[in-house]
Each structure stands twice: as C-alpha cells, then as structure tokens.
Coordinates of all heavy atoms in Angstrom, one line a residue:
M1 N 52.6 37.2 15.6 CA 52.2 38.4 16.2 C 51.8 38.2 17.7 O 51.1 37.3 18.0 CB 51.0 39.0 15.4 CG 50.6 40.3 15.9 SD 49.3 40.9 14.7 CE 47.9 40.9 15.7
Q2 N 52.4 39.1 18.5 CA 52.1 39.0 20.0 C 50.8 39.6 20.3 O 50.5 40.7 19.7 CB 53.2 39.7 20.7 CG 54.5 39.0 20.7 CD 54.5 37.7 21.6 OE1 53.7 36.8 21.3 NE2 55.2 37.7 22.6
P3 N 50.0 39.0 21.2 CA 48.7 39.7 21.5 C 49.0 41.0 22.4 O 50.0 41.1 23.1 CB 48.0 38.6 22.4 CG 49.1 37.7 22.8 CD 50.2 37.8 21.8
E4 N 48.0 41.9 22.3 CA 48.1 43.1 23.0 C 48.0 42.8 24.5 O 47.3 41.9 24.9 CB 47.0 44.0 22.6 CG 47.0 45.4 23.2 CD 45.8 46.2 22.7 OE1 45.5 46.1 21.5 OE2 45.3 47.0 23.6
K5 N 48.9 43.5 25.3 CA 48.8 43.3 26.7 C 47.5 43.7 27.3 O 46.8 44.6 26.8 CB 50.0 44.1 27.4 CG 51.4 43.8 26.9 CD 51.8 42.4 27.3 CE 53.2 42.1 26.9 NZ 53.6 40.8 27.0
I6 N 47.2 43.1 28.5 CA 45.9 43.4 29.1 C 46.1 43.5 30.6 O 46.9 42.7 31.2 CB 44.9 42.3 28.8 CG1 43.5 42.6 29.4 CG2 45.3 40.9 29.3 CD1 42.4 41.7 28.8
S7 N 45.5 44.5 31.2 CA 45.6 44.6 32.7 C 44.7 43.6 33.5 O 43.7 43.1 32.8 CB 45.2 46.1 33.1 OG 43.8 46.3 32.9
A8 N 45.0 43.5 34.7 CA 44.1 42.6 35.6 C 42.7 43.1 35.6 O 41.7 42.3 35.5 CB 44.7 42.4 36.9
E9 N 42.5 44.4 35.8 CA 41.2 44.9 35.8 C 40.4 44.7 34.5 O 39.3 44.3 34.5 CB 41.3 46.4 36.1 CG 39.9 47.1 36.3 CD 40.1 48.6 36.7 OE1 40.8 48.9 37.6 OE2 39.5 49.4 35.9
E10 N 41.0 44.9 33.4 CA 40.4 44.7 32.1 C 40.1 43.3 31.9 O 39.1 42.9 31.4 CB 41.3 45.3 31.0 CG 40.7 45.2 29.6 CD 41.5 45.8 28.5 OE1 42.7 46.1 28.8 OE2 41.1 45.8 27.4
F11 N 41.0 42.4 32.3 CA 40.8 40.9 32.2 C 39.6 40.5 33.0 O 38.7 39.8 32.4 CB 42.1 40.2 32.7 CG 41.9 38.7 32.8 CD1 41.9 37.9 31.7 CD2 41.7 38.2 34.1 CE1 41.7 36.6 31.9 CE2 41.6 36.8 34.2 CZ 41.6 36.0 33.1
D12 N 39.5 40.9 34.2 CA 38.4 40.5 35.1 C 37.1 41.0 34.5 O 36.1 40.3 34.5 CB 38.6 41.1 36.5 CG 39.6 40.4 37.3 OD1 39.9 39.2 36.9 OD2 40.2 41.0 38.2
E13 N 37.1 42.3 34.0 CA 35.8 42.8 33.4 C 35.4 42.1 32.2 O 34.2 41.7 32.1 CB 36.1 44.3 33.1 CG 34.9 45.1 32.5 CD 35.2 46.5 32.1 OE1 35.8 47.2 33.0 OE2 35.0 46.9 31.0
R14 N 36.3 41.8 31.3 CA 35.9 41.1 30.1 C 35.5 39.7 30.4 O 34.6 39.1 29.8 CB 37.1 41.1 29.1 CG 37.3 42.4 28.4 CD 38.4 42.4 27.4 NE 38.6 43.7 26.8 CZ 39.4 43.9 25.8 NH1 40.1 42.9 25.2 NH2 39.6 45.1 25.4
L15 N 36.3 39.0 31.3 CA 36.0 37.6 31.7 C 34.6 37.5 32.3 O 33.9 36.6 31.9 CB 37.1 37.1 32.6 CG 37.0 35.6 32.9 CD1 37.1 34.8 31.6 CD2 38.0 35.2 33.9
N16 N 34.2 38.4 33.1 CA 32.9 38.5 33.7 C 31.8 38.6 32.7 O 30.8 37.9 32.7 CB 32.8 39.5 34.8 CG 33.5 39.2 36.0 OD1 33.8 38.0 36.4 ND2 33.9 40.2 36.8
R17 N 32.0 39.5 31.8 CA 31.0 39.7 30.7 C 30.9 38.5 29.8 O 29.8 38.1 29.5 CB 31.5 40.9 29.8 CG 31.0 42.2 30.2 CD 31.1 43.2 29.1 NE 32.3 43.2 28.4 CZ 33.3 44.1 28.4 NH1 33.2 45.1 29.2 NH2 34.4 43.9 27.7
L18 N 32.0 37.8 29.5 CA 32.0 36.6 28.7 C 31.3 35.5 29.5 O 30.5 34.7 28.9 CB 33.4 36.2 28.3 CG 34.0 37.0 27.2 CD1 35.5 36.7 27.1 CD2 33.3 36.9 25.9
H19 N 31.5 35.3 30.8 CA 30.9 34.3 31.5 C 29.4 34.6 31.6 O 28.6 33.6 31.6 CB 31.5 34.2 33.0 CG 32.7 33.3 32.9 ND1 32.8 32.0 32.6 CD2 34.0 33.7 33.2 CE1 34.0 31.5 32.6 NE2 34.8 32.5 33.1
E20 N 29.0 35.8 31.8 CA 27.5 36.2 31.8 C 26.9 35.8 30.5 O 25.8 35.2 30.4 CB 27.3 37.7 32.0 CG 27.6 38.0 33.5 CD 27.5 39.6 33.7 OE1 27.1 40.3 32.8 OE2 28.0 40.0 34.8
R21 N 27.6 36.1 29.3 CA 27.0 35.8 28.0 C 27.0 34.2 27.9 O 26.0 33.7 27.3 CB 27.9 36.4 26.9 CG 27.4 36.1 25.5 CD 26.1 36.7 25.3 NE 25.6 36.4 23.9 CZ 24.4 36.2 23.6 NH1 23.4 36.3 24.4 NH2 24.1 35.9 22.3
R22 N 28.0 33.5 28.4 CA 28.0 32.0 28.3 C 26.8 31.5 29.1 O 26.1 30.6 28.6 CB 29.3 31.5 28.9 CG 29.3 29.9 29.0 CD 30.5 29.4 29.7 NE 30.7 30.0 31.1 CZ 30.0 29.6 32.1 NH1 29.1 28.6 32.1 NH2 30.2 30.1 33.4
E23 N 26.5 32.0 30.2 CA 25.4 31.6 31.0 C 24.1 31.8 30.3 O 23.1 30.9 30.3 CB 25.4 32.2 32.4 CG 26.5 31.7 33.3 CD 26.6 32.5 34.6 OE1 25.7 33.3 34.9 OE2 27.5 32.3 35.3
E24 N 23.9 33.0 29.7 CA 22.7 33.3 28.9 C 22.5 32.3 27.8 O 21.4 31.8 27.6 CB 22.8 34.7 28.4 CG 22.7 35.8 29.3 CD 23.0 37.2 28.7 OE1 23.2 37.3 27.5 OE2 23.1 38.1 29.5
L25 N 23.6 32.0 27.1 CA 23.5 31.1 26.0 C 23.2 29.6 26.4 O 22.4 28.9 25.8 CB 24.8 31.1 25.1 CG 25.0 32.4 24.3 CD1 26.4 32.5 23.8 CD2 24.0 32.5 23.2
E26 N 23.8 29.2 27.5 CA 23.5 27.9 28.0 C 22.0 27.8 28.5 O 21.5 26.7 28.3 CB 24.5 27.6 29.2 CG 25.9 27.3 28.8 CD 26.8 27.1 29.9 OE1 26.5 27.5 31.0 OE2 28.0 26.6 29.7
E27 N 21.5 28.8 29.1 CA 20.1 28.8 29.5 C 19.2 28.7 28.2 O 18.2 28.0 28.2 CB 19.7 30.1 30.3 CG 20.3 30.1 31.7 CD 20.1 31.4 32.4 OE1 19.2 32.1 32.0 OE2 20.7 31.6 33.5
R28 N 19.5 29.5 27.2 CA 18.7 29.4 25.9 C 18.8 28.1 25.3 O 17.9 27.5 24.8 CB 19.3 30.6 25.0 CG 18.5 30.6 23.7 CD 17.1 31.2 24.0 NE 16.4 31.2 22.7 CZ 15.2 30.8 22.5 NH1 14.5 30.4 23.5 NH2 14.6 30.9 21.3
E29 N 20.0 27.5 25.3 CA 20.2 26.1 24.8 C 19.3 25.1 25.5 O 18.6 24.3 24.9 CB 21.7 25.7 24.9 CG 22.0 24.3 24.4 CD 23.4 23.9 24.5 OE1 24.0 24.2 25.6 OE2 23.9 23.2 23.7
T30 N 19.4 25.2 26.8 CA 18.5 24.3 27.6 C 17.0 24.5 27.4 O 16.3 23.5 27.3 CB 18.8 24.6 29.2 OG1 20.2 24.3 29.4 CG2 18.0 23.6 30.0
E31 N 16.6 25.8 27.2 CA 15.2 26.0 26.9 C 14.8 25.4 25.6 O 13.8 24.8 25.5 CB 15.0 27.6 26.9 CG 13.6 28.0 26.6 CD 13.5 29.5 26.4 OE1 14.2 30.2 27.2 OE2 12.7 30.0 25.6
L32 N 15.7 25.6 24.6 CA 15.4 25.1 23.2 C 15.3 23.5 23.3 O 14.4 22.9 22.7 CB 16.3 25.6 22.2 CG 16.2 27.0 21.8 CD1 17.4 27.5 21.1 CD2 15.0 27.2 21.0
I33 N 16.3 22.9 24.0 CA 16.3 21.5 24.0 C 15.1 20.9 24.8 O 14.6 19.8 24.4 CB 17.6 21.0 24.7 CG1 18.8 21.3 23.8 CG2 17.6 19.5 25.1 CD1 20.2 21.1 24.5
S34 N 14.6 21.7 25.7 CA 13.4 21.2 26.5 C 12.2 21.0 25.6 O 11.2 20.3 26.0 CB 13.1 22.1 27.7 OG 12.6 23.3 27.2
H35 N 12.2 21.6 24.5 CA 11.0 21.5 23.6 C 11.0 20.2 22.7 O 10.1 19.9 22.0 CB 10.9 22.7 22.6 CG 10.6 24.0 23.4 ND1 11.5 25.0 23.5 CD2 9.5 24.4 24.1 CE1 11.0 26.0 24.2 NE2 9.7 25.6 24.6
D36 N 12.2 19.5 22.8 CA 12.2 18.2 22.1 C 11.7 17.1 23.0 O 12.3 16.8 24.0 CB 13.7 18.0 21.7 CG 13.9 16.7 20.9 OD1 12.9 15.9 20.7 OD2 15.0 16.4 20.5
H37 N 10.6 16.6 22.6 CA 9.9 15.5 23.4 C 10.1 14.1 22.7 O 9.2 13.4 22.7 CB 8.5 15.9 23.6 CG 8.3 17.2 24.3 ND1 8.6 17.4 25.6 CD2 7.8 18.4 23.8 CE1 8.3 18.6 26.0 NE2 7.9 19.2 24.9
G38 N 11.3 14.0 22.1 CA 11.5 12.6 21.5 C 11.4 12.6 20.0 O 11.9 11.7 19.4
G39 N 10.8 13.6 19.4 CA 10.6 13.5 18.0 C 11.5 14.5 17.2 O 11.3 14.7 16.0
G40 N 12.5 15.1 17.9 CA 13.3 16.1 17.3 C 12.6 17.5 17.3 O 11.4 17.6 17.6
L41 N 13.3 18.5 17.0 CA 12.8 19.9 17.0 C 12.4 20.3 15.6 O 12.9 19.8 14.6 CB 13.9 20.9 17.4 CG 14.3 20.7 18.9 CD1 15.6 21.6 19.1 CD2 13.2 21.2 19.8
P42 N 11.3 21.1 15.5 CA 11.0 21.7 14.2 C 12.2 22.4 13.6 O 13.1 22.9 14.3 CB 9.8 22.6 14.5 CG 9.3 22.2 15.8 CD 10.5 21.6 16.6
A43 N 12.2 22.5 12.3 CA 13.3 23.1 11.6 C 13.7 24.5 12.2 O 14.9 24.7 12.4 CB 13.1 23.1 10.1
D44 N 12.7 25.3 12.4 CA 13.1 26.7 12.9 C 13.7 26.6 14.2 O 14.7 27.4 14.5 CB 11.8 27.6 12.8 CG 10.7 27.1 13.7 OD1 10.6 25.9 14.0 OD2 9.9 28.0 14.2
Q45 N 13.2 25.8 15.1 CA 13.8 25.7 16.5 C 15.2 25.0 16.4 O 16.1 25.4 17.1 CB 12.9 24.9 17.4 CG 11.7 25.7 17.9 CD 11.0 25.0 19.0 OE1 10.8 23.9 19.0 NE2 10.4 25.9 19.9
Q46 N 15.4 24.1 15.5 CA 16.7 23.4 15.3 C 17.7 24.4 14.8 O 18.8 24.5 15.3 CB 16.6 22.2 14.4 CG 17.9 21.5 14.3 CD 18.4 20.9 15.6 OE1 17.6 20.2 16.2 NE2 19.6 21.1 15.9
N47 N 17.3 25.3 13.9 CA 18.1 26.4 13.4 C 18.5 27.3 14.5 O 19.7 27.8 14.6 CB 17.5 27.2 12.3 CG 17.3 26.3 11.0 OD1 18.1 25.4 10.8 ND2 16.4 26.7 10.2
R48 N 17.6 27.7 15.4 CA 17.8 28.6 16.6 C 18.9 27.9 17.5 O 19.8 28.5 18.0 CB 16.6 28.9 17.3 CG 15.7 29.9 16.6 CD 14.5 30.3 17.5 NE 13.5 30.8 16.7 CZ 12.3 30.3 16.5 NH1 12.0 29.2 17.1 NH2 11.4 30.8 15.6
L49 N 18.6 26.6 17.7 CA 19.6 25.8 18.6 C 21.0 25.8 18.0 O 22.0 26.0 18.7 CB 19.0 24.4 18.8 CG 19.8 23.5 19.7 CD1 20.0 24.0 21.1 CD2 19.2 22.1 19.8
D50 N 21.1 25.5 16.7 CA 22.3 25.5 16.1 C 23.1 26.8 16.2 O 24.3 26.9 16.4 CB 22.2 25.1 14.6 CG 21.8 23.7 14.4 OD1 21.9 22.9 15.4 OD2 21.4 23.4 13.3
K51 N 22.3 27.9 16.0 CA 22.8 29.3 16.2 C 23.3 29.5 17.6 O 24.5 30.1 17.8 CB 21.8 30.3 15.8 CG 22.3 31.7 15.8 CD 21.3 32.8 15.4 CE 21.9 34.1 15.5 NZ 21.0 35.2 15.3
V52 N 22.5 29.2 18.6 CA 22.9 29.4 20.0 C 24.2 28.6 20.3 O 25.1 29.1 20.9 CB 21.8 28.9 20.9 CG1 22.3 28.8 22.3 CG2 20.6 30.0 20.8
R53 N 24.2 27.3 19.8 CA 25.4 26.5 20.0 C 26.7 27.1 19.3 O 27.8 27.0 19.9 CB 25.2 25.1 19.5 CG 24.3 24.3 20.5 CD 24.0 22.9 20.1 NE 23.3 22.2 21.1 CZ 22.6 21.0 20.9 NH1 22.6 20.5 19.8 NH2 22.0 20.4 21.9
G54 N 26.5 27.7 18.2 CA 27.6 28.3 17.5 C 28.1 29.5 18.3 O 29.3 29.7 18.4
E55 N 27.2 30.3 18.8 CA 27.5 31.5 19.6 C 28.2 31.1 20.9 O 29.2 31.7 21.3 CB 26.3 32.3 19.9 CG 25.7 33.1 18.7 CD 24.5 33.9 19.1 OE1 24.5 34.5 20.2 OE2 23.6 33.9 18.2
L56 N 27.7 30.0 21.5 CA 28.3 29.5 22.7 C 29.7 29.0 22.4 O 30.6 29.3 23.2 CB 27.5 28.3 23.3 CG 27.9 27.7 24.6 CD1 28.0 28.7 25.6 CD2 26.9 26.6 25.0
A57 N 30.0 28.4 21.3 CA 31.3 27.9 21.0 C 32.3 29.1 20.8 O 33.4 29.1 21.2 CB 31.3 27.0 19.7
D58 N 31.7 30.2 20.2 CA 32.5 31.4 20.0 C 32.9 32.0 21.3 O 34.0 32.5 21.5 CB 31.8 32.4 19.1 CG 31.7 32.0 17.7 OD1 32.4 31.1 17.2 OD2 30.8 32.6 17.0
V59 N 31.9 32.1 22.2 CA 32.1 32.7 23.6 C 33.2 31.8 24.3 O 34.1 32.4 25.0 CB 30.9 32.8 24.4 CG1 31.1 33.2 25.8 CG2 30.0 33.9 23.7
L60 N 33.1 30.5 24.3 CA 34.0 29.7 25.0 C 35.4 29.9 24.4 O 36.4 29.9 25.1 CB 33.6 28.2 24.9 CG 32.4 27.9 25.7 CD1 31.9 26.4 25.4 CD2 32.6 28.1 27.2
Q61 N 35.5 30.0 23.1 CA 36.8 30.3 22.5 C 37.4 31.7 22.9 O 38.5 31.8 23.2 CB 36.7 30.3 20.9 CG 38.0 30.5 20.2 CD 39.0 29.4 20.5 OE1 38.7 28.3 20.3 NE2 40.3 29.8 20.8
E62 N 36.5 32.7 23.0 CA 37.0 34.0 23.4 C 37.5 33.9 24.9 O 38.5 34.6 25.2 CB 35.8 35.0 23.3 CG 35.4 35.4 22.0 CD 34.3 36.4 21.9 OE1 34.3 37.4 22.6 OE2 33.3 36.1 21.2
I63 N 36.8 33.1 25.7 CA 37.3 33.0 27.1 C 38.6 32.4 27.1 O 39.6 32.9 27.8 CB 36.3 32.1 27.9 CG1 34.9 32.9 28.2 CG2 36.9 31.7 29.3 CD1 33.8 32.1 28.8
G64 N 38.9 31.3 26.3 CA 40.2 30.7 26.3 C 41.2 31.7 25.8 O 42.4 31.7 26.3
D65 N 40.9 32.4 24.7 CA 41.8 33.3 24.1 C 42.2 34.4 25.1 O 43.4 34.8 25.2 CB 41.3 34.0 22.9 CG 41.1 33.0 21.7 OD1 41.7 31.9 21.8 OD2 40.4 33.3 20.7
L66 N 41.2 34.9 25.8 CA 41.4 36.0 26.8 C 42.3 35.5 28.0 O 43.2 36.2 28.4 CB 40.1 36.4 27.4 CG 40.1 37.5 28.5 CD1 40.7 38.9 27.8 CD2 38.8 37.9 29.0
K67 N 42.0 34.3 28.4 CA 42.9 33.7 29.5 C 44.4 33.5 29.0 O 45.3 33.9 29.7 CB 42.4 32.3 29.9 CG 41.1 32.4 30.7 CD 40.6 31.0 31.1 CE 39.4 31.1 32.0 NZ 39.0 29.7 32.4
D68 N 44.5 33.1 27.7 CA 45.9 33.0 27.1 C 46.5 34.4 27.0 O 47.7 34.5 27.3 CB 45.9 32.3 25.8 CG 45.6 30.9 25.9 OD1 45.7 30.3 26.9 OD2 45.2 30.3 24.8
R69 N 45.8 35.4 26.6 CA 46.3 36.7 26.5 C 46.7 37.2 27.8 O 47.8 37.9 27.9 CB 45.2 37.6 25.9 CG 45.6 39.0 25.6 CD 44.5 39.8 25.0 NE 44.7 41.2 25.1 CZ 43.8 42.1 25.0 NH1 42.6 41.8 24.7 NH2 44.1 43.4 25.1
Y70 N 46.0 37.0 28.9 CA 46.3 37.5 30.2 C 47.5 36.8 30.7 O 48.5 37.4 31.3 CB 45.1 37.3 31.1 CG 45.4 37.9 32.5 CD1 45.6 39.3 32.7 CD2 45.6 37.1 33.6 CE1 45.8 39.8 33.9 CE2 45.8 37.6 34.9 CZ 46.0 39.0 35.0 OH 46.3 39.5 36.2
A71 N 47.6 35.4 30.5 CA 48.8 34.7 30.9 C 50.0 35.2 30.2 O 51.1 35.3 30.8 CB 48.6 33.2 30.6
D72 N 49.9 35.5 28.9 CA 51.1 36.0 28.2 C 51.5 37.4 28.7 O 52.7 37.7 28.8 CB 50.7 36.2 26.7 CG 51.9 36.6 25.9 OD1 52.9 35.9 25.8 OD2 51.8 37.6 25.2
A73 N 50.5 38.3 29.1 CA 50.8 39.6 29.6 C 51.4 39.6 31.0 O 52.3 40.4 31.3 CB 49.5 40.4 29.7
T74 N 51.1 38.5 31.8 CA 51.7 38.4 33.1 C 52.8 37.5 33.3 O 53.4 37.4 34.3 CB 50.5 38.1 34.1 OG1 50.0 36.7 33.8 CG2 49.4 39.0 34.1
G75 N 53.1 36.8 32.2 CA 54.2 35.8 32.3 C 53.8 34.5 33.0 O 54.6 33.6 33.3
A76 N 52.5 34.4 33.3 CA 52.0 33.1 33.9 C 51.9 32.0 32.9 O 51.8 32.3 31.7 CB 50.6 33.4 34.5
P77 N 51.9 30.8 33.4 CA 51.7 29.7 32.4 C 50.4 29.8 31.8 O 49.4 30.3 32.3 CB 51.9 28.4 33.3 CG 51.8 28.8 34.7 CD 52.0 30.4 34.8
A78 N 50.3 29.3 30.5 CA 49.0 29.3 29.8 C 48.0 28.4 30.5 O 48.3 27.4 31.0 CB 49.2 28.8 28.4
D79 N 46.7 28.8 30.5 CA 45.6 28.1 31.1 C 45.5 26.8 30.2 O 45.4 26.8 29.0 CB 44.4 29.0 31.0 CG 43.2 28.3 31.7 OD1 43.0 27.1 31.5 OD2 42.5 29.0 32.4
P80 N 45.4 25.6 30.9 CA 45.3 24.4 30.1 C 43.9 24.4 29.3 O 43.8 23.6 28.4 CB 45.2 23.3 31.2 CG 45.0 24.0 32.5 CD 45.4 25.4 32.3
D81 N 43.0 25.2 29.7 CA 41.7 25.2 28.9 C 41.7 26.3 27.8 O 40.8 26.4 27.0 CB 40.5 25.6 29.9 CG 40.2 24.4 30.8 OD1 40.5 23.3 30.4 OD2 39.8 24.7 31.9
G82 N 42.8 27.1 27.8 CA 42.9 28.1 26.7 C 43.5 27.5 25.4 O 43.9 26.4 25.5
A83 N 43.5 28.3 24.4 CA 44.0 27.9 23.1 C 45.4 27.5 23.1 O 45.8 26.5 22.5 CB 43.7 29.0 22.1
L84 N 46.3 28.2 23.9 CA 47.7 27.9 23.9 C 48.0 26.7 24.8 O 49.1 26.1 24.8 CB 48.5 29.1 24.4 CG 48.4 30.3 23.5 CD1 49.2 31.5 24.1 CD2 48.9 30.0 22.1
G85 N 47.1 26.3 25.7 CA 47.3 25.3 26.7 C 46.9 23.9 26.2 O 47.2 22.9 26.8
E86 N 46.4 23.9 25.0 CA 45.9 22.6 24.4 C 47.1 21.8 23.9 O 48.0 22.2 23.4 CB 44.9 22.8 23.4 CG 43.6 23.4 23.9 CD 42.6 23.5 22.8 OE1 42.9 23.7 21.7 OE2 41.4 23.5 23.2

C-alpha cells in the first residue's frame, strides 16, 4: 500500500510539531533521570521514565515515517534515518 501524498507545507508543519514533542519528551526524560542518585529510581518514577521513553521512541518513528512519506511524495531518495532508509 502506497502512503498518502503530503505537501511541503503539511510536511513542515507536522515535522515541527513532532520535533517539539520530541524535545518535550527528552526534557522529561532528563528530569526523571536526574532523580537517580546512584540507587535507581523508585518504581513509580521508573514506570514514568519507561513510559516517556516509549513515547519518545514512537515520536522518533513517526518522524522517520513522515520523512519517508515526504520523500515518496516528492520522488526524493529516502532519508537514511527514516524507516525506508535503513
């Protein structure tokens, strides 16, 4: 199944939103990690960290997928960091 085409404007808008979300998640991850002073995190904080890392992985995958989708729509080569470029 071919991905739906995407315009340059829509691509830029979605990519910017995804990068903003990525930055938010990375900041949250850093904040949670900073509470570990060598003895590990309490279970509730470790669960939060795991959730943030899962969301971050999803956002990074979405960024790669979006880049691949845009490359497909424009005929450009796939981004080496995208899912199709691996």
Side-chain angles (χ1 to χ4, degrees):
M1 186 170 109
Q2 290 288 65
E4 184 179 322
K5 302 291 183 190
I6 185 170
S7 70
E9 184 178 304
E10 185 180 5
F11 170 75
D12 288 337
E13 182 181 309
R14 287 186 184 185
L15 188 61
N16 286 337
R17 273 196 316 251
L18 287 169
H19 278 299
E20 287 174 11
R21 181 66 180 144
R22 177 188 52 83
E23 289 173 8
E24 290 170 5
L25 290 167
E26 287 174 345
E27 287 175 17
R28 183 69 179 136
E29 178 184 38
T30 301
E31 179 184 324
L32 287 165
I33 290 171
S34 72
H35 292 113
D36 182 355
H37 302 289
L41 294 171
D44 62 332
Q45 285 187 326
Q46 184 62 50
N47 290 339
R48 286 187 202 112
L49 180 59
D50 292 344
K51 183 178 177 192
V52 166
R53 286 180 171 165
E55 288 179 39
L56 182 56
D58 291 344
V59 168
L60 292 172
Q61 181 65 48
E62 287 180 53
I63 289 171
D65 291 348
L66 181 64
K67 288 179 178 180
D68 287 343
R69 182 176 162 202
Y70 184 67
D72 185 61
T74 61
D79 186 316
D81 293 329
L84 297 178
E86 293 182 334

